[in-house]
Amino acid sequence: MGKRKVAALEKIEADLAGLQYKIRKDPEAYEKEFIENWQQFDAAHEQFLAAPVGADSNSLITFREQIDLIAHCAELYPQIAATFPDALKDVLTKHHAVLEPSLREKIVSSLTLLRRKDVIDSNYLLTTLFPILISTPSKSLRMVLYQKILSDIRNTNTKTTNHRVNRTMQTVLYNLVTSDRSSPKALWAVKLVRELWRRQIWSDAKTVDIMRQACLADNEKVIVGAVRFFLGGDREREEFEDESSDEETVDIKKVKHSFGINKKTKKSKKALDKAIDRTKQQERKKNAPHPLNFSALHLLQDPQGFSENIFEKHLQNTKSKLSLESKLLVLQLVTRLVGLHKLTIISLYSWFIKHLSPRQQSASSFLASLAQGTHNLVPPDAIEPLIQKIANEFVSEASASEVCSAGLNAIREICARQPLAMNETLLQDLVEYRKSKDKGVMMAAKGLLSLYREKGADMLRKKDRGKDATIGLRSGDMKQLKYGEEQAGEIEGLELLAKWKEEQRKRKRAERGLTGEGEDAEKGDGENEDGSDSDEWEVASMESSDSGEWIRVSDSEDEAEVEPDAKRPKVDQEDGNEDDEENTAGDALDITKLATTQILTPADLAKLRELRMEASIDKAMGNRKRKQETEARHVDEGLTAEQIEAPSKLRKSTKEERIAMAREGKPDREEHKSTQAIRKSKKEAEGKSTTNKEKARRKNFMMTLGKAKSKQKRSLVATRNILKNHVERSKSGGRRRNGISR
């Protein structure tokens, strides 16, 4: 075979690669060669600037190789190559539209290499690449620049947060969004901010302010991207955090074992070091403090003004050209802010009236938005016409079961946030739908009934109130809050601890023979919480001072016997009833007194945790009523159209739907296999062999025929000896004697 001829350009390339290696090894000895190549680059640069379009391919290849050489060696000769970054920036900024793709990519990678070698700083690189990103028509160049900008910001904030670079970039993005509201260039600002927020690199109020301005843009793509940031940015961040934490853990023992047994090579040594580094990194992440990740909705500076602005601009404005899907996203953001921050936008609820109809496209989304935009500070007069409209349009015997159940469920979600918006006549009519034959309608009506058993049982008929609500109304424990009234904040589960302490006091009094409530009221000042009398301690102390001897005081409270006072008059039954009413009225004061006047001991806190656990278990088992579940769900993650339509999905699913649901739970399984087939495929994937039983079962029948005939000809003595040897072998660990030796 003849010797291949090497082209001149290939020789130059090989020479430059070898020269680069020599320069990096000994910079002082090869300074002259570097100066010669710098002069060649300078000449090629001037030639390119003179004719950027008409340059031939050979000169472009030479120019590209010169750029590569100087970019790798520029930090070794800072004085000679001082103007090199400016020359590359000039070429890329002025001629990026006409540059050859390979040369253009080489210039971008060379600038990134200079940034990695600290020849230029991050501000220089970002201010060079970002204007080209938003102006170039080349899709491939845009993707390259986007990845380079993103990786540079991430690397800059790896060890510590670089506030100077972040402020500069955030100012550039803010000006890009606010300078021209109708320009589609702001979409790149939205993309960058969403990605940096997802990676938790930017998580401050300035970032949220950029997206707030993007929501007020005129371009639909920019608006949708910014609105999706507020609605799903936190969920994306949590998913990314879960993905990064769910990386495959490395088994160091297994890696070390394989490294000790197998042939020792550089590749295996590198794999071992990499596995050790990854394990150390995972341990550092596990022990690192968890950052405070505030939601973007909580970092808004003026949620009231922001909600009013986007509502007036994108929803109320008849000249808005947004599609229905985009308007639904904006509506969901507005109502989410209204419900989360308890804002007041009265015109929002009157705007809903024309959209509350079963014939409206995406009607369930409008119902969900209305429900999550309601809170206890909204005037009931503004919500009551909407509930009446939903009841008239959705809830009727002529409506389909899906429509009726969605309407009832929407009314329940609205009333869970503002119970005062419901009138008594309409509530009693809606509750009657619990007798419907359709399961979805029946469950939705029962949900509304159970809600008002907790929130406003006095609006229900006596037969619909239930046992707990009737007892609560009779005793005065259950009271409906007035408009604008808030429940006082308290320690969670404190009422359980107060009730338990009261039961303990009653039990101890009963054991001591003090069963009267009047006695307890008069002796309440003299008794401590544990039932001990302070007067007894004073008498004992005086007697001990007179006699000068020790007096034995009983430790247990049960041994102390206190005789009832015979001179105390009996309490009339009427006075006792009055005391009962006063006690029930002062239960709330007792709980507040327990929280403000007494110090909870470690034993009290342990008992409080135990009572909380019992209450949560009872709640999960269905023994306690749900309390504020809908409000808590609304604050955390909002309300969706799927939750409004949930009761309509309670019908029995078809066979095809059940098969599809089963396949969703097992995405890795391509086809149905038995358990043995799955085990076999796992063994084959792990490289394991089959057992002797499987091999014997798969053996050719003609090969086993001779052994079967010989078994039939065995005598009883031979059979006995064979079985005996088999038992001995099994005890000793088989033929290889892996177990107990003889």
Side-chain angles (χ1 to χ4, degrees):
M1 184 176 179
K3 187 175 181 182
R4 186 177 72 89
K5 292 183 179 181
V6 180
L9 290 175
E10 293 182 3
K11 287 184 178 180
I12 293 173
E13 185 179 352
D15 292 342
L16 290 178
L19 179 62
Q20 176 185 334
Y21 173 75
K22 293 175 183 178
I23 289 174
R24 296 191 62 81
K25 193 172 183 180
D26 192 359
E28 297 179 359
Y30 290 93
E31 184 177 358
K32 183 179 179 181
E33 285 79 1
F34 181 79
I35 294 174
E36 291 177 358
N37 281 276
W38 172 257
Q39 293 173 354
Q40 293 176 10
F41 163 76
D42 199 8
H45 179 227
E46 292 178 358
Q47 182 181 358
F48 176 80
L49 291 179
V53 180
D56 58 335
S57 59
N58 292 333
S59 60
L60 291 177
I61 293 174
T62 306
F63 186 42
R64 188 177 67 222
E65 297 300 330
Q66 293 290 342
I67 290 173
D68 186 44
L69 172 66
I70 297 174
H72 280 86
C73 304
E75 82 277 8
L76 301 175
Y77 307 99
Q79 295 180 354
I80 300 173
T83 59
F84 180 66
D86 294 333
L88 294 182
K89 180 180 179 180
D90 187 37
V91 172
L92 187 62
T93 305
K94 294 181 179 179
H95 308 288
H96 63 84
V98 297
L99 280 175
E100 187 188 7
S102 58
L103 178 60
R104 189 171 57 192
E105 188 176 350
K106 177 60 70 177
I107 293 175
V108 173
S109 60
S110 299
L111 285 171
T112 310
L113 181 63
L114 293 176
R115 167 68 189 96
R116 198 160 57 243
K117 292 178 178 294
D118 291 331
V119 177
I120 58 176
D121 59 353
S122 184
N123 284 333
Y124 187 93
L125 179 65
L126 294 175
T127 53
T128 302
L129 299 183
F130 190 74
I132 303 172
L133 171 66
I134 62 177
S135 61
T136 180
S138 175
K139 186 176 180 180
S140 60
L141 180 61
R142 287 199 301 264
M143 295 305 299
V144 171
L145 293 176
Y146 176 74
Q147 294 296 332
K148 297 293 183 184
I149 292 171
L150 194 63
S151 61
D152 184 71
I153 297 175
R154 186 175 68 246
N155 295 333
T156 305
N157 293 273
T158 299
K159 295 182 180 179
T160 56
T161 303
N162 194 330
H163 296 286
R164 186 170 64 89
V165 174
N166 292 341
R167 280 197 302 269
T168 303
M169 199 63 195
Q170 286 171 354
T171 305
V172 171
L173 297 177
Y174 186 86
N175 294 334
L176 175 64
V177 172
T178 56
S179 60
D180 188 3
R181 296 284 185 183
S182 59
S183 175
K185 295 179 180 179
L187 188 60
W188 288 106
V190 173
K191 285 185 177 181
L192 274 173
V193 170
R194 288 188 67 177
E195 185 63 25
L196 292 171
W197 180 272
R198 186 175 74 92
R199 295 178 178 271
Q200 301 183 19
I201 299 172
W202 286 359
S203 58
D204 54 349
K206 181 70 173 177
T207 308
V208 178
D209 198 34
I210 296 172
M211 304 305 285
R212 181 179 68 86
Q213 294 294 335
C215 288
L216 299 172
D218 296 330
N219 187 277
E220 185 172 357
K221 290 185 178 180
V222 178
I223 296 169
V224 171
V227 170
R228 288 186 185 276
F229 165 78
F230 283 106
L231 294 177
D234 301 324
R235 185 167 59 251
E236 291 176 358
R237 185 168 59 178
E238 292 173 0
E239 291 175 357
F240 179 78
E241 188 177 357
D242 294 339
E243 289 175 3
S244 59
S245 61
D246 290 342
E247 294 177 354
E248 295 183 359
T249 55
V250 182
D251 190 358
I252 293 186
K253 291 184 178 180
K254 186 176 180 180
V255 176
K256 285 184 177 181
H257 179 70
S258 61
F259 178 73
I261 292 177
N262 299 334
K263 184 179 179 181
K264 295 175 179 59
T265 58
K266 290 183 179 179
K267 184 177 180 181
S268 59
K269 181 68 168 62
K270 190 181 292 185
L272 177 62
D273 296 338
K274 190 175 180 180
I276 294 174
D277 292 340
R278 189 182 300 175
T279 305
K280 290 180 179 178
Q281 186 178 3
Q282 290 174 355
E283 290 295 327
R284 284 196 299 270
K285 281 185 179 180
K286 191 184 298 182
N287 298 326
H290 194 274
L292 295 175
N293 295 328
F294 292 100
S295 173
L297 297 173
H298 289 89
L299 291 175
L300 281 169
Q301 295 179 356
D302 184 16
Q304 176 73 37
F306 175 58
S307 303
E308 291 176 353
N309 290 336
I310 59 175
F311 175 66
E312 292 173 0
K313 184 171 184 178
H314 301 309
L315 297 178
Q316 269 191 328
N317 188 9
T318 56
K319 297 181 180 179
S320 178
K321 298 181 180 179
L322 295 180
S323 62
L324 178 62
E325 185 179 357
S326 303
K327 284 187 177 181
L328 283 174
L329 288 174
V330 175
L331 178 62
Q332 191 176 358
L333 175 60
V334 173
T335 54
R336 184 83 180 275
L337 288 170
V338 169
L340 182 64
H341 296 281
K342 294 190 176 181
L343 310 178
T344 303
I345 305 177
I346 300 299
S347 58
L348 172 66
Y349 304 103
S350 60
W351 178 86
F352 266 106
I353 288 189
K354 60 182 178 181
H355 299 286
L356 297 179
S357 172
R359 294 175 295 278
Q360 170 69 44
Q361 188 179 357
S362 303
S364 56
S365 299
F366 283 99
L367 293 174
S369 299
L370 174 60
Q372 75 175 357
T374 307
H375 52 85
N376 60 341
L377 298 182
V378 178
D381 297 337
I383 304 294
E384 188 174 356
L386 298 176
I387 294 179
Q388 190 70 45
K389 179 74 180 296
I390 296 172
N392 294 336
E393 294 284 343
F394 288 83
V395 186
S396 67
E397 295 179 355
S399 301
S401 58
E402 294 83 2
V403 176
C404 189
S405 61
L408 285 170
N409 199 26
I411 292 174
R412 184 181 65 84
E413 294 289 347
I414 295 170
C415 294
R417 293 155 173 80
Q418 180 52 286
L420 300 175
M422 176 67 71
N423 60 65
E424 186 173 348
T425 306
L426 180 60
L427 176 62
Q428 292 175 2
D429 290 341
L430 295 177
V431 165
E432 292 299 323
Y433 280 91
R434 72 185 188 277
K435 300 176 183 178
S436 174
K437 294 182 179 180
D438 185 78
K439 189 174 182 181
V441 177
M442 178 192 67
M443 294 300 294
K446 284 186 175 180
L448 182 64
L449 175 62
S450 62
L451 171 69
Y452 270 91
R453 281 177 175 175
E454 299 175 8
K455 301 279 181 135
D458 52 345
M459 298 175 64
L460 296 168
R461 298 190 185 94
K462 289 185 178 180
K463 64 178 182 178
D464 297 333
R465 290 174 183 175
K467 177 183 175 182
D468 296 337
T470 303
I471 295 174
L473 287 174
R474 189 173 298 170
S475 63
D477 294 338
M478 184 176 293
K479 293 182 180 180
Q480 188 174 9
L481 296 177
K482 298 179 181 179
Y483 173 66
E485 186 179 359
E486 295 280 354
Q487 289 183 349
E490 57 185 16
I491 302 174
E492 183 184 359
L494 191 63
E495 67 278 0
L496 300 174
L497 183 63
K499 185 177 179 181
W500 177 80
K501 286 195 170 190
E502 184 63 28
E503 291 176 355
Q504 294 297 316
R505 291 194 196 100
K506 289 181 180 179
R507 182 183 61 82
K508 291 171 183 175
R509 290 192 211 102
E511 291 176 355
R512 293 161 55 186
L514 298 176
T515 56
E517 294 292 337
E519 297 175 1
D520 177 48
E522 292 186 8
K523 292 188 68 176
D525 297 332
E527 284 189 1
N528 296 325
E529 287 185 7
D530 55 354
S532 59
D533 193 353
S534 58
D535 296 338
E536 295 178 3
W537 289 95
E538 293 176 2
V539 174
S541 61
M542 293 180 64
E543 290 178 357
S544 63
S545 61
D546 295 335
S547 60
E549 296 179 356
W550 290 97
I551 295 177
R552 182 180 179 275
V553 179
S554 175
D555 293 334
S556 63
E557 299 164 353
D558 298 335
E559 295 178 4
E561 296 181 358
V562 181
E563 296 180 358
D565 193 358
K567 297 180 180 180
R568 182 171 299 163
K570 294 183 179 180
V571 182
D572 296 338
Q573 187 174 0
E574 296 178 357
D575 296 338
N577 295 333
E578 292 177 0
D579 292 339
D580 291 340
E581 293 177 0
E582 292 177 358
N583 291 335
T584 54
D587 284 343
L589 295 176
D590 292 340
I591 297 174
T592 307
K593 183 179 178 182
L594 180 63
T596 55
T597 62
Q598 298 181 13
I599 298 175
L600 297 180
T601 62
D604 292 337
L605 295 175
K607 189 64 182 179
L608 181 61
R609 283 194 295 269
E610 182 183 347
L611 294 172
R612 276 187 204 159
M613 184 66 68
E614 291 179 0
S616 61
I617 292 173
D618 292 341
K619 181 180 175 181
M621 296 295 291
N623 296 333
R624 298 280 178 96
K625 297 190 298 285
R626 296 175 298 137
K627 290 185 179 180
Q628 300 174 349
E629 278 190 0
T630 54
E631 295 176 5
R633 183 185 62 195
H634 164 64
V635 170
D636 292 339
E637 56 188 23
L639 193 66
T640 60
E642 288 76 12
Q643 293 170 346
I644 295 293
E645 299 170 356
S648 63
K649 297 180 180 179
L650 293 174
R651 60 178 178 81
K652 189 176 181 181
S653 57
T654 61
K655 182 179 179 181
E656 290 76 12
E657 292 175 348
R658 291 195 297 271
I659 292 174
M661 190 180 298
R663 286 179 178 173
E664 286 178 3
K666 302 171 183 176
D668 298 334
R669 186 180 297 183
E670 298 177 357
E671 57 181 355
H672 178 73
K673 293 181 179 179
S674 63
T675 307
Q676 291 183 352
I678 294 173
R679 289 176 182 172
K680 178 187 173 184
S681 59
K682 285 183 179 180
K683 278 188 175 183
E684 290 177 353
E686 294 173 359
K688 295 181 180 179
S689 178
T690 56
T691 61
N692 290 333
K693 288 184 178 181
E694 292 177 353
K695 290 176 181 176
R697 189 169 63 249
R698 293 182 180 181
K699 203 169 185 180
N700 191 2
F701 176 71
M702 297 303 295
M703 297 174 67
T704 61
L705 194 58
K707 188 175 182 180
K709 289 181 178 179
S710 62
K711 279 186 177 181
Q712 293 178 357
K713 296 178 180 179
R714 287 177 188 168
S715 62
L716 293 176
V717 177
T719 304
R720 185 189 63 185
N721 293 335
I722 290 171
L723 292 175
K724 186 177 179 182
N725 293 334
H726 173 72
V727 172
E728 290 179 356
R729 277 199 308 271
S730 62
K731 288 182 179 179
S732 60
R735 295 182 182 274
R736 297 184 180 180
R737 307 293 180 185
N738 294 326
I740 304 170
S741 60
R742 290 184 178 179

